[in-house]
Amino acid sequence: MNRMIIVAALALATVLPAAAQDKMQLRIGTEGAYPPFNYFDSAGNLVGFDIDIAKALCDEMNAECTFVTQDWDGIIPALLANKFDAIIASMSMTPARDEIVDFTDKYYNTPPAIAVPKDSSLADASPESMADIILGAQSSTTHANYAEKFFPDTELRRYGTPEEYKLDLQSGRIDAAIDDSTVLSTWVNSEDGACCKILEVLKNDPIIHGPGAGIAVREEDTELKEKFNTAIAAIRANGVYKQINDKHFDIDVYGD
């Protein structure tokens, strides 16, 4: 009997590592500096809506996923250099990006907004009102592109991270900032953003913003793209997406 138990235990030990090896291994690239979507909390943990969505998709695909943080400016080159397998970092599916990488279906779609100090004299975000002010935006983003197109008489100041433009807006070195409405709303409603308010929520421009935020993969990874699409549809249908949405936001960020 003891011999049979030992043989069975050895057989199980042989099977389990093989099963673990069969699990798909994925490296997910993200920025880690874009609250509330992807950022490090006070304990040094990578958290946010993007991170929870990525984990849910990996569970749905039965994949073993690890996260790799990468500065925003270099995130697409890093994907192409095989530093990770997919980008889940609130990346808008713009036509220009679509020429370089392939995108899944969207997993959320929120509009941009303008934030200003609470004592700002700006009445609205029209091109006329925004003329001759200094506007901050994160570089290499759709929001910087939007500002260039719709506020031609505004001085645009580009920053490496949102944290940098927030500090300059707090200190009065710039007059306004443009970013995702959810990012700015979360900030101005926090203690850190008590200086400021939302001036206006803007409309998405389909050419600049595309149909929303998607997961970027290399163009040749069509099978991985379809697995992500199937998983996105699954978590939308089974309620997991709503649970994650409601954990982070009081609005539906999936959009139309």
Side-chain angles (χ1 to χ4, degrees):
M1 179 63 71
N2 288 340
R3 184 179 178 184
M4 290 176 62
I5 293 173
I6 292 171
V7 170
L10 288 171
L12 184 61
T14 303
V15 169
L16 286 177
Q21 289 174 4
D22 289 340
K23 204 167 189 180
M24 180 167 56
Q25 305 293 312
L26 285 179
R27 298 161 300 161
I28 306 297
T30 196
E31 183 181 11
Y34 197 58
F37 291 100
N38 58 81
Y39 63 103
F40 288 96
D41 65 14
S42 58
N45 300 309
L46 188 60
V47 296
F49 178 78
D50 286 334
I51 307 307
D52 287 344
I53 288 292
K55 289 178 178 177
L57 295 175
C58 289
D59 287 345
E60 186 65 35
M61 296 188 296
N62 192 33
E64 182 87 29
C65 290
T66 55
F67 290 93
V68 180
T69 54
Q70 169 70 46
D71 289 347
W72 181 255
D73 284 350
I75 203 164
I76 287 180
L79 173 68
L80 300 179
N82 200 36
K83 291 185 178 179
F84 34 79
D85 305 300
I87 298 171
I88 303 182
S90 294
M91 181 170 283
S92 297
M93 298 182 283
T94 67
R97 290 171 181 157
D98 198 36
E99 292 180 0
I100 305 169
V101 297
D102 205 359
F103 283 105
T104 64
D105 298 334
K106 73 167 185 177
Y107 66 95
Y108 82 86
N109 187 20
T110 48
I114 301 287
V116 296
K118 285 182 176 177
D119 61 357
S120 172
S121 61
L122 288 172
D124 56 54
S126 66
E128 294 76 21
S129 295
M130 298 284 288
D132 302 321
I133 69 162
I134 303 174
L135 176 66
Q138 187 176 9
S139 62
S140 302
T141 64
T142 56
H143 308 297
N145 295 341
Y146 184 102
E148 285 184 334
K149 178 177 178 179
F150 290 101
F151 305 127
D153 297 321
T154 301
E155 180 183 339
L156 180 61
R157 192 168 293 175
R158 294 173 175 81
Y159 296 85
T161 67
E163 187 62 29
E164 294 173 72
Y165 75 62
K166 290 173 185 176
L167 289 172
D168 272 9
L169 190 59
Q170 287 173 320
S171 64
R173 287 189 287 268
I174 59 175
D175 303 299
I178 183 170
D179 208 326
D180 180 271
S181 57
T182 309
V183 170
L184 291 175
S185 294
T186 300
W187 178 59
V188 301
N189 289 320
S190 71
E191 185 177 345
D192 287 343
C195 63
C196 301
K197 65 181 181 180
I198 299 296
L199 174 65
E200 190 173 320
V201 176
L202 309 170
K203 290 184 179 180
N204 276 325
D205 181 273
I207 295 175
I208 292 175
H209 298 103
I215 300 168
V217 298
R218 290 179 288 274
E219 290 184 330
E220 64 269 22
D221 291 338
T222 54
E223 184 178 351
L224 179 58
K225 170 187 170 180
E226 291 312 314
K227 286 182 177 180
F228 272 122
N229 281 339
T230 300
I232 291 169
I235 67 170
R236 288 281 299 162
N238 64 19
V240 170
Y241 183 97
K242 187 177 188 307
Q243 291 174 6
I244 296 171
N245 184 102
D246 295 350
K247 171 185 172 182
H248 293 278
F249 310 114
D250 56 7
I251 60 169
D252 179 7
V253 297
Y254 188 75
D256 298 330

